[in-house]
Amino acid sequence: MSASGFRTERDSMGELKVPADALYGAQTQRAVDNFPISGITMPFPVIRAIGLIKRACAQVNTEFGLLDPDIAASIREAADRVCGGQMAGQFPIDVFQTGSGTSSNMNVNEVLAHVATDIGGQTVHPNDHVNMGQSSNDVFPTAIHVSACLEIHERLLPAMEHLAETIERRAEELNGYVKTGRTHLMDAMPVTIGQELSGWAAQVRHGADRIRAALPRLETLTQGGTAVGTGINAPEGFGPRVAAELRSITGVPFTSMDSYFEGQSSQDAAVEMSGQLKTYATSLMKIANDLRWMNSGPLAGLGEIALVPLQPGSSIMPGKVNPVIPESVAMVGAQVTGNDATITVAGQSGNFQLNVMLPVIAYNLQQSIELLTNASAVLADKAIAGFTVNDDKLREALDRNPILVTALNSVIGYEQGAAIAKKAYADGRPLIEVAREMTELSEEELKSLLDPARLTGGGLVK
């Protein structure tokens, strides 16, 4: 090791200077030097997934009698440290790297070899031992699936459940509040706030159902296909054994793919899941925009609800408070939609036996999952859980809503109803007052027929 803070490492291309305190080797350093593109490194869930794969492969290689048990034990312990987040800073390679993810695979191989050598006291080679029976071409596609499945099971689905439960609780609490419904952003027949929120809850729950429906394809793994899908240099049965080991470690029902050729040449399961994430992002944007409209004002907008004030809304207008959480969630919706477009294009980039945009698929899929997870929790806790209803505003709008005349159609007919609605709107008068003048219906009959609460059906629509 030199006094300059570097040490010399060697790979098949020759010698290279590596930072003295780095746990990685020459191949990682070459990738760092070659790809100064974005400054964005591989998300930790992907590194964790590669660590889990290496752990599982070391175990299976030992069971096949191919790997020294002591070396395997050292690799497994090193992998546990990587998966536990103890090696932060040792995975510096840019996301925009070689399309197979070889650089990140070798980065993990080198770190594990270095740490395992220290643990066991005997030399562990990144290729011969850590990467035994594997190729970047099956490791990285497997890591995309494993990382996405773990984040969805462990974080996203629980966050979606929390959001759905929060909306449903508020729907029950607020179902007594009747408001003007709107279609085309124009006044329509009344609904309760509870009924309106029940639609949001259904969107979230159906989003979770769609994601769960796509999981079985994502839970199939291409590990065992090695370089081109034929399984070269891996023992027969290696892939299913690795999938079983990962299933045991994680509790996720991973299985081995029927066709490694599909798994390495395409990323259809990731594209499918991204589409379901985009659908949920679309739902969140709809909910966020509804909240923004309902909260708008407080004087010149709808002013139906008041979101919890969280921070000053303007650097120049004192007292202004903005709907910051719905705005943040809407931006998440936009970002996830863009991520899906990237994943779609990347998914089309399978040439013969290998997709060559794997790292950008991994990055965008992980970002979408993380954004949706965090946005779901924030929307539930900082917007929906605490907003209050401005009942006076709701009543004022209902009293002047000419569309309530729809309830009289079966009694006075569409044409007379339209005339009443137009006059009430033109005169700026309550509908019931105009209807009393233009029909022979009594005050009691009109109050019954035009009662907004009765017109909603009264309960939550489930």
Side-chain angles (χ1 to χ4, degrees), residues 347-432:
Q348 298 166 358
S349 298
N351 307 126
F352 300 109
Q353 279 68 61
L354 185 67
N355 181 286
V356 290
M357 287 197 183
L358 297 176
V360 81
I361 292 174
Y363 171 71
N364 281 276
L365 195 61
Q366 282 301 318
Q367 186 186 67
S368 291
I369 294 168
E370 180 181 18
L371 289 175
L372 293 172
T373 297
N374 296 337
S376 298
V378 166
L379 185 64
D381 297 338
K382 296 187 177 182
I384 291 172
F387 75 76
T388 56
V389 177
N390 300 325
D391 195 32
D392 290 343
K393 272 277 195 180
L394 300 184
R395 291 180 183 277
E396 178 185 351
L398 279 170
D399 288 345
R400 303 177 72 84
N401 182 4
I403 304 302
L404 293 181
V405 76
T406 304
L408 304 181
N409 280 359
S410 62
V411 179
I412 64 174
Y414 183 93
E415 297 298 336
Q416 188 177 9
I420 293 170
K422 289 177 181 178
K423 183 169 180 56
Y425 180 75
D427 294 351
R429 297 163 60 198
L431 178 72
I432 192 170

Side-chain angles (χ1 to χ4, degrees), residues 20-248:
D21 59 352
L23 300 180
Y24 52 78
Q27 291 202 46
T28 298
Q29 188 61 50
R30 291 189 194 281
V32 170
D33 295 342
N34 287 335
F35 306 115
I37 307 296
S38 70
I40 302 169
T41 56
M42 197 61 64
F44 173 72
V46 179
I47 299 299
R48 175 196 178 198
I50 298 175
L52 288 170
I53 293 164
K54 301 300 174 180
R55 189 191 198 287
C57 288
Q59 177 63 33
V60 172
N61 278 321
T62 305
E63 293 171 359
F64 274 111
L66 301 174
L67 185 61
D68 180 274
D70 292 334
I71 289 178
S74 297
I75 293 172
R76 292 197 302 271
E77 184 176 339
D80 288 340
R81 295 183 188 181
V82 166
C83 295
Q86 298 178 34
M87 304 299 171
Q90 297 299 321
F91 306 100
I93 300 173
D94 204 281
V95 164
F96 297 92
Q97 54 172 278
T98 177
S100 62
T102 297
S103 297
S104 284
N105 180 46
M106 283 307 305
N107 184 190
V108 176
N109 286 339
E110 289 180 340
V111 170
L112 291 180
H114 188 121
V115 175
T117 297
D118 288 345
I119 290 171
Q122 55 182 320
T123 301
V124 178
H125 194 279
N127 297 83
D128 295 339
H129 299 137
V130 181
N131 202 61
M132 179 183 285
Q134 307 151 57
S135 163
S136 300
N137 298 353
D138 60 357
V139 168
F140 208 90
T142 299
I144 292 174
H145 283 213
V146 170
S147 59
C149 286
L150 289 174
E151 291 296 295
I152 289 168
H153 279 292
E154 295 173 359
R155 299 188 64 231
L156 177 57
L157 289 175
M160 294 175 73
E161 177 66 21
H162 174 61
L163 176 57
E165 289 177 350
T166 301
I167 297 172
E168 288 163 351
R169 174 172 54 80
R170 294 309 313 274
E172 293 284 353
E173 292 172 2
L174 303 175
N175 198 47
Y177 291 98
V178 181
K179 58 167 281 183
T180 299
R182 292 180 181 85
T183 59
H184 304 269
L185 290 180
M186 305 297 287
D187 298 344
M189 294 299 288
V191 296
T192 71
I193 288 187
Q195 288 171 336
E196 193 163 54
L197 266 63
S198 73
W200 300 352
Q203 284 186 278
V204 175
R205 291 208 175 277
H206 287 150
D209 289 343
R210 292 184 186 99
I211 289 168
R212 290 190 190 95
L215 274 171
R217 266 81 64 198
L218 207 64
E219 290 166 350
T220 62
L221 308 179
T222 191
Q223 198 64 51
T226 65
V228 292
T230 60
I232 186 69
N233 285 352
E236 185 176 352
F238 185 75
R241 294 274 289 272
V242 171
E245 182 68 17
L246 286 168
R247 187 164 62 245
S248 175

Side-chain angles (χ1 to χ4, degrees), residues 87 134 282 325 327 342 362 367 398 401 406 428 436 443 455 461:
M87 304 299 171
Q134 307 151 57
T282 303
I325 298 303
E327 288 174 352
T342 298
Q367 186 186 67
L398 279 170
N401 182 4
T406 304
R436 191 167 55 242
E443 178 88 9
L455 296 176
V461 178

